[in-house]
Amino acid sequence: MLAQVSLAAPSRFPIRYKVVGVAATLAALTYLDRVCISVLAPSITKEFSLSQVQMSYVFSAFTLAYAAFEIPTAWWADRIGSRAVVTRIVAWWSTFTILTAAAFSYPSLLALRFLFGIGEAGTWPNAARVFSRWIPARERGIVQGIFFAGAHLSGALTPALVLWMTAFLSWRQIFIACGCVGFFWAAGWYWWFRDEPANHPSVSPEERDMILRERNISPHEGHDAGSFAAVFKHPSSWVLCLMYVANTYGFYFLITWLPTFLQKILGFQGLELKIFAGLPLALSVLADIFGGLTTDRLTKRFGTRFGRCSVGFLGYAIAGVAMAVAAGSGNRRVAAILIAIAAASSMFTLAPSWASCIDIGEHRAGVLSAAMNTSGNIGGFLSPIVLAYLVREFASWAITFYVLAGLYFMAAVCWLVIRPDRPISCLMATAPIGL
């Protein structure tokens, strides 16, 4: 009875912002469990006598499973709601984070990371689905920025945290410690969250009515095959997917091989290694928030297409230039800083990317964002493997940075033709939409 009274107690602070805050902790939790393996990679490779290429497959086993199960998990959430599905996601991935500590061979490590990826699949599309129902259209950019800021802040702090833990815990014990946190989060989420604002006992009538009035999604959800297929009939859906390959390809370099590159190639050690390993994601926190603020303000003033696409184009154009210059830099600190700038610039585009999924997908925002994230994670799957083979073939890391710069330039071009101002409801009601 006391718990029910506490949950239903009125609050002056908008409940939708509390939802955003809880979602940001979810994003932070995902990066805690993803990033720790890159920091622990030297210990793991030493224990199992793995080559660089073999370790790249360990990194990519997660990404392969994550990409394969993104759309099915998002579709499931559209059927039964994000409250139940997110609870299952967090409990599953936490279980296999802990079980990573039980790895006894290279094949077992591959299998455990693959199962971990299955569990985490669908996390971010479910966040987009939650925001599509809880957040008015005018606030979506900054909300997405805050969500990703939570992830990247966690990613920036995790290397230092894990390095500190290695002083008194083995790599196996660190996986156990990180995995346990998720079970507490999952229990809290299921108890407190509701899929619709109208069903949350703490939402005031005024906030509920405002959200329903301003969230700009079609009034009839529908789960028929036609509405599902409409997501993939929209031309911009495919361009969003292509664009996002560059983002995730670059991101997985940051959380897999960047610490190794900084240590073995650029020669950073101790405090400098911690600083430069965390700098890309630390700068990304600012980029996430300012990217969200910028896309919302430009959208309000100039319309949805300019507000989303101009931010996406500018972010990737800067990222491409910075990465290309870093590849040819002869100064190791300048190179490390430019890599961080390129990473942050690419993350500047996250808010318009995910907000565009909500703008276009409406009630199918979960499926569209899952499709975009699936394509991105194909790039994420390839990133550590391609890097390992390129370095082995050319005996140089510079070529890998030029490849990434080219992908960023390709993504910038994609934003010239994306149409977030044309939702799928228009496609279902009229003739097919052109670019």
Side-chain angles (χ1 to χ4, degrees), residues 401-422:
F401 297 130
Y402 286 123
V403 169
L404 182 51
L407 288 173
Y408 284 150
F409 288 130
M410 178 270 297
V413 173
C414 287
W415 277 107
L416 298 178
V417 294
I418 292 171
R419 297 300 301 266
D421 55 329
R422 296 183 177 180

Side-chain angles (χ1 to χ4, degrees), residues 5 16 20 40 69 84 97 158 165 175 180 245 267 342 415:
V5 172
R16 68 186 185 278
V20 174
L40 298 172
F69 286 85
T97 297
T158 294
M165 294 172 72
F175 275 113
C180 287
V245 170
W415 277 107

